Amino acid sequence: MAPPGYAASRSMATPHVVPHEAAGDWFFGSLLHYFKKLDKKSKRHSASTGCQTDGTQTIPAPCFGYPSLVSFLQVSFSPQDNAQVCITGNGFFKLFKYSEGTLKQMNLQKGEPQNYLCHAWLSKEEVICGTDTGKLFLFETGKLHWETSVECKKPPRELEEDVTTNEYESSDVSSGLAFEDNSSQKDSLTQISAVAAYSKGFACSSSPGVVLLFEKTKEKEVYKESQEIWLPQDLFSSEPKKSGRQDIICICFSPSEETMVINTNKNQLYMFTMLSTDLTKEKAAYFAYLNFPLHSAPITGMDICVWKPILATCSLDRSVRIWNYKTNTLELYKEYQEEAYTVSLHPTGLFCLVGFSDKLRFISLLHEDMHVFKEFSVRKCRECSFSNRGHLFAVVNGNVIQIYSSITFENINNLKGHSGKIHAVKWSTDDAKFVSCDTHGAVYEWNLLTGKRESECVLKSCIYSSIALSSDAKIIFAVGSDQTLKEISDSSIQLEVSAFGVVYTAVAVSHSGHMVFVGTSLGTIRAMKYPLPLTRDFNEYQAHAGAVTKMSVTNDDLFLLTASEDGSIFIWKVYDKGDGILKWEKEVEYAEEVLIMRADIEEKSQAMLDLQIRVKELQTENDYQLRLKDMYCNEKIKELEENFTQEIGSLKTKYQILQAEKEKQELQHQFQLSELMNKQAREVQQLESDSNQKILMENEKYQELQVKSQRMQEEYEKQLHNLEESKSKAVRELTEYYEEKLNEKSVLLKETEEDMRRQLQAHEEIKKQIEEDEDREILEIKIKYERRLSEEKASNLQLEGEIGVMNKRLNSLQEELKERNRNIEEMRLEQQKLQGIIKSLENYIFALKTEIQARTNAIQDKEKHIYDLKKKNQELEKFIFVLDYRIEEFKKQRELRENDIKTMKEQICEMEGELERFHRESTQLKLNITQLQQKLKATNSKMHRERQKKQNMETFIKRFKTDLHNCVGFIQDSRKMKGGIRELYRKYVNQSDLVETEAADRDLQQEYMRQREYLERNLAALKKKVVKDQKIHQAAYMHIVQENVSLIKEINDLRQERKVAHTQVHDLQSTLRLTKKKQAIQDTAPSSELLSSPAVLRLNAEKESENIIEMQQLEIQYLRDQIQEKGQILAVQPLLVGNLPKMNLEKSHKTQQQ
């Protein structure tokens, strides 16, 4: 990847190849030659065994003792020794050393083969390797020295969110869980994808999105994990969690090891300052972008504008980005849900067109966001372009080019005629002409006024990928799949320039018309002058790792911008060979206007007002705090001055006491000196006797060691002689054995000359392997015996060194004894002189000290007594003042607490009244419910009666029907008919019954309708009341719960205040006791008569304060008991409220209606 800012200094002059001064180029050539030989052998091996060879670098396993092919993944030189090479791969770890023109293997692989993904040199002898199973192996001189396994790591954010995610996942759908399980399985597979070494240890990537730092220790574990560094989540991304779980491909450190840079599989570069690891002791840290987030997929579209020095790009990573090619910065960035195929900037730089897989969107480029202003139903739009004046824009919809107005968004014209996919469109400078090309080799020039083709050039053998127009729109430059650059004018190809074996993918022309720039499929860029040269007269620059997709030249011809399939953007400065940087006739002034949404402005203005108000409040608070601090500092200064004056007085007294102690200690020191001198004389005599004995013992040991060393030398010489003889015998036997074998093989070769021709290669390989094995065995035997010789020589040297050390110790002891004897003699002389002086002075000092001590003791006792009495008076006065102040504070606190308790009692009374009201309403509701239940039972009994009446009527009607049917049988005989009708009338008809039944039926129907309407009204009213009651109950319940919480908090606060008050009371009681004791002492002392009457009054006040405190304690205990009772009631109260019946609010409802 090469983002803007890293490739901004590329120039368009002739390139110069700078040689790398690596101290192993000749060795690398020989290594390549060696690997070519191995590659040839592997090809022969695969051809003989019938295996198909792919593109991977493989070597035949029989060369190194493995049964299958091995793939190389990394080859590196040792930074300390340019003759050492490390090669790792799948089941392969080898160390080679280049000497005498050949590569020699340094290690023998043991144990199970691992898939080594990466390695790094820690020192000249140590190599750290990482495997696909999450294991780290440390090899020292080719042997396994240490290994460890790294567990799968979870980022700190996921560890914090584990609890919430588990609760959410328990209630989620099973289909969502399946996807999460798959992702977790992928993350749980740990593999060491990258390793890099630094001075303290090494860094490795074990899981996606994390780098672990290992530091060297002196414990059994050679290296220990010290820190985790995680990738940050990109908040602008549509999937921020995935942005923090990228696979890390490469790790590198700066030469000073101040920064670490990593590269991910999504082409992102991150950095981390290593100095922060020393300062912060947190285990988890986070990377930061090296500059800004880059494209992680091929770039499909790029465009520039006139007003601003910006370019817009879109990519298959579903992102649209706005870059500034002057400052080399990323100005805007947004990810979408669909892939973006093309982008075009409005000439003002305030709008852009982006073609997505589902729609074409007209986007406003705001200050910090991209706002979709208009959407067009154009699917998979691969090309779009604004006109140079910005009033039109062209959109490719399949094989049709649609022209829209960028002001009214109306479809003005449709350009039809292409049969293939349209790959590029271009506007002329005056927007009068329009040029397009497609995959069927057609280049059309359109007239936008008529909507028809003015000219065309068709070459079906070529698939055009890009076109460019000259400033006068007379010449079209086109590139395609036929490896040529075409100059088209007047509907025909005027000139074809060969690409010399490369496919051209993009073309751009400078606005001056003097230069033509071409991008190739290899990622190179060619700069050629116009008119186009037919020979290789151009400058070629290697830039991208993939094919160049888009190219454009800025309006001032100073910059060339290129984008590629590798996701990189290059900004090139255009130079003239002779004059340097090209200078434009007029300096371009770019616009600095930016679009902002009205809502954003209002939010920011409101935030500004809030901040201004906050600033004013903070200023007032700061002024008030400064005043308080000044007051506090002044008080503190006064206190300190008083303390200093007191301390000075106390220090003076201490000074006098210390002088007296000093004199005492001087006498003690003189006495101790005399004792020490006597002890020293005794110790010197003992040391002399001990040292003489030790010297004799050391001489004896030295003689014994000399005898032992002579014996050891003789034994080792004999062993060496025997070893040399055994070695020479072994070599002779081996040579004789192999000579006999060679003679036998020569006889066999003579007899089987014909078979020898067929199997010559196999015998040579076997012979080489046998010789290598013999060489190895001989080397191992040599190494063993050489090690033994070196060990024996080392032991001899150690013994000689010990003997020398013993001799040196003897000499040093003798010198020390001489020096000590000299010092002892000097000390004796000085001691004799001092003893005479000390005796004369001691007598004189003793006489003086006795007199001084008697006088000073009497003075000190009197001064101490006076000072103690004064000090006690001062302390008592201060203490009484403090107690008075505290008593006043406690009175104030008591009044405040009494007020709080009164308010709490009133609240409790109100709550009890509400509870009684709730109980009354619940009883009324129960009565209403019982009444309604009785009414329902009455209606059910009436319904039952009516049903029985209905059944009786139905049987009555059936009988009437049967009698009628029988009467109808006499329809021909009139007499019988009359008789039957009269009988029917007698049976079934009665006038009073008729009237009564009709009236009863009417009354029943009216009563039934009235009862039904009444019940329906009651039901509707009851439903409304139930809903209202539920709401009121919920509100009341929440109110009671909140009050309970506030009361519990207040109770806890009161308990804490009670504890504080209890401690203060205890302190006051202790201080009062002390004052009483001091008062009693003062009463007994003779100076108690000097106490004034105000002090007595203060002591009486102290007794009164004790009584007050006891009264307050009793009141606090009484209040505590009441609070505990109320707390118990409130603890039971929520349960009662939850089981309360529903309220009857008929009365309140009627009052509201009235």
Side-chain angles (χ1 to χ4, degrees), residues 59 61 64-66 70 72 87-96 105-116 129 131 137 139 141-144 776:
I59 59 169
F64 297 102
Y66 284 95
V70 180
F72 295 138
I87 306 169
T88 54
N90 189 359
F92 188 80
F93 172 74
K94 293 289 181 183
L95 291 173
F96 293 96
Q105 187 176 338
M106 294 171 62
N107 68 321
L108 293 170
Q109 194 166 350
K110 294 180 182 179
E112 294 182 1
Q114 301 284 338
N115 185 7
Y116 298 105
C129 297
T131 67
F137 293 95
F139 294 95
T141 62
K143 293 180 180 178
L144 183 62
R776 285 176 189 168

Side-chain angles (χ1 to χ4, degrees), residues 928-943:
N928 289 327
I929 288 159
T930 52
Q931 288 175 1
L932 290 169
Q933 286 175 353
Q934 288 175 359
K935 286 179 181 179
L936 282 168
K937 286 178 182 178
T939 51
N940 286 325
S941 63
K942 285 180 182 180
M943 287 286 288

Side-chain angles (χ1 to χ4, degrees), residues 234 236-240 243 296 317-321 333-338 356:
D234 191 358
F236 293 100
S237 176
S238 59
E239 295 177 343
S243 65
S296 59
D317 61 1
R318 302 175 180 178
S319 68
V320 178
R321 300 167 198 250
Y333 159 50
K334 193 169 184 180
E335 282 194 7
Y336 294 89
Q337 297 296 324
E338 298 84 18
F356 292 97

Side-chain angles (χ1 to χ4, degrees), residues 348-362:
T348 59
L350 301 175
F351 310 99
C352 72
L353 273 172
V354 184
F356 292 97
S357 58
D358 59 344
K359 288 181 181 178
L360 176 75
R361 291 178 172 87
F362 189 92

Side-chain angles (χ1 to χ4, degrees), residues 96 230 345 383 525 611 643 760 916 941 1033 1126:
F96 293 96
W230 291 90
L345 269 177
E383 284 294 327
I525 292 164
L611 288 169
N643 291 327
L760 185 64
E916 287 174 0
S941 63
H1033 274 294
K1126 297 292 180 185

Side-chain angles (χ1 to χ4, degrees), residues 584-646:
W584 197 246
E585 293 177 358
K586 295 180 181 180
E587 291 185 0
V588 180
E589 293 182 359
Y590 292 108
E592 295 183 357
E593 288 81 2
V594 177
L595 293 177
I596 300 175
M597 299 288 283
R598 185 175 290 173
D600 294 340
I601 292 169
E602 290 174 356
E603 285 178 4
K604 286 182 180 178
S605 61
Q606 187 63 38
M608 289 282 286
L609 289 170
D610 295 338
L611 288 169
Q612 285 175 358
I613 293 162
R614 181 66 179 158
V615 166
K616 289 178 182 177
E617 290 176 356
L618 287 170
Q619 282 177 353
T620 54
E621 285 179 5
N622 286 327
D623 293 336
Y624 178 66
Q625 286 177 0
L626 285 169
R627 287 173 188 171
L628 289 174
K629 283 181 181 177
D630 290 335
M631 295 286 286
Y632 177 74
C633 289
N634 291 325
E635 290 175 358
K636 196 78 176 173
I637 287 162
K638 289 178 182 177
E639 289 178 1
L640 289 169
E641 285 177 353
E642 291 174 357
N643 291 327
F644 279 128
T645 54
Q646 290 175 3

Side-chain angles (χ1 to χ4, degrees), residues 90 162 244 303 313 564 790 991 1056:
N90 189 359
D162 272 345
D303 197 15
T313 58
S564 172
S790 63
Q991 292 296 326
Q1056 288 178 358

Side-chain angles (χ1 to χ4, degrees), residues 776-929:
R776 285 176 189 168
E777 288 175 359
I778 291 161
L779 284 168
E780 286 176 357
I781 292 162
K782 280 183 180 180
I783 288 161
K784 283 180 184 178
Y785 287 119
E786 283 173 359
R787 281 179 184 170
R788 286 183 184 176
L789 283 167
S790 63
E791 287 173 357
E792 288 168 359
K793 287 177 181 178
S795 62
N796 286 328
L797 289 167
Q798 284 179 357
L799 289 168
E800 288 174 0
E802 288 176 357
I803 291 160
V805 168
M806 294 299 291
N807 289 324
K808 287 178 181 178
R809 283 182 183 175
L810 283 169
N811 294 324
S812 64
L813 286 167
Q814 288 174 358
E815 288 174 358
E816 284 176 1
L817 284 169
K818 288 177 182 177
E819 286 176 357
R820 283 184 182 178
N821 290 324
R822 289 172 189 168
N823 290 326
I824 288 159
E825 287 175 357
E826 288 174 357
M827 291 292 284
R828 281 176 185 171
L829 294 170
E830 286 178 359
Q831 188 179 359
Q832 288 174 2
K833 289 177 183 178
L834 289 168
Q835 280 177 356
I837 295 163
I838 287 161
K839 285 177 182 178
S840 61
L841 290 170
E842 277 177 356
N843 296 321
Y844 183 73
I845 288 162
F846 185 76
L848 291 171
K849 280 183 180 179
T850 52
E851 291 177 359
I852 291 161
Q853 207 165 13
R855 291 176 184 177
T856 52
N857 287 328
I859 292 160
Q860 283 176 3
D861 291 331
K862 289 177 182 178
E863 285 178 352
K864 278 182 184 178
H865 189 63
I866 291 159
Y867 180 77
D868 290 330
L869 291 169
K870 287 179 181 178
K871 198 171 182 181
K872 283 175 185 177
N873 285 325
Q874 289 176 359
E875 286 176 357
L876 285 167
E877 286 175 358
K878 287 180 183 177
F879 194 72
I880 289 159
F881 178 75
V882 170
L883 285 171
D884 292 331
Y885 183 74
R886 285 187 178 176
I887 287 158
E888 288 176 359
E889 284 183 348
F890 279 122
K891 284 179 181 178
K892 291 177 183 177
Q893 288 178 1
R894 182 189 171 191
E895 288 175 358
L896 292 169
R897 286 178 184 173
E898 283 175 354
N899 293 324
D900 292 332
I901 288 157
K902 284 179 183 177
T903 54
M904 292 289 286
K905 284 178 180 177
E906 289 173 358
Q907 287 179 1
I908 289 159
C909 291
E910 288 175 359
M911 289 172 74
E912 286 175 353
E914 286 178 358
L915 271 172
E916 287 174 0
R917 188 166 56 80
F918 286 147
H919 283 300
R920 287 172 190 169
E921 288 173 353
S922 64
T923 52
Q924 287 177 0
L925 285 168
K926 283 180 181 178
L927 290 169
N928 289 327
I929 288 159

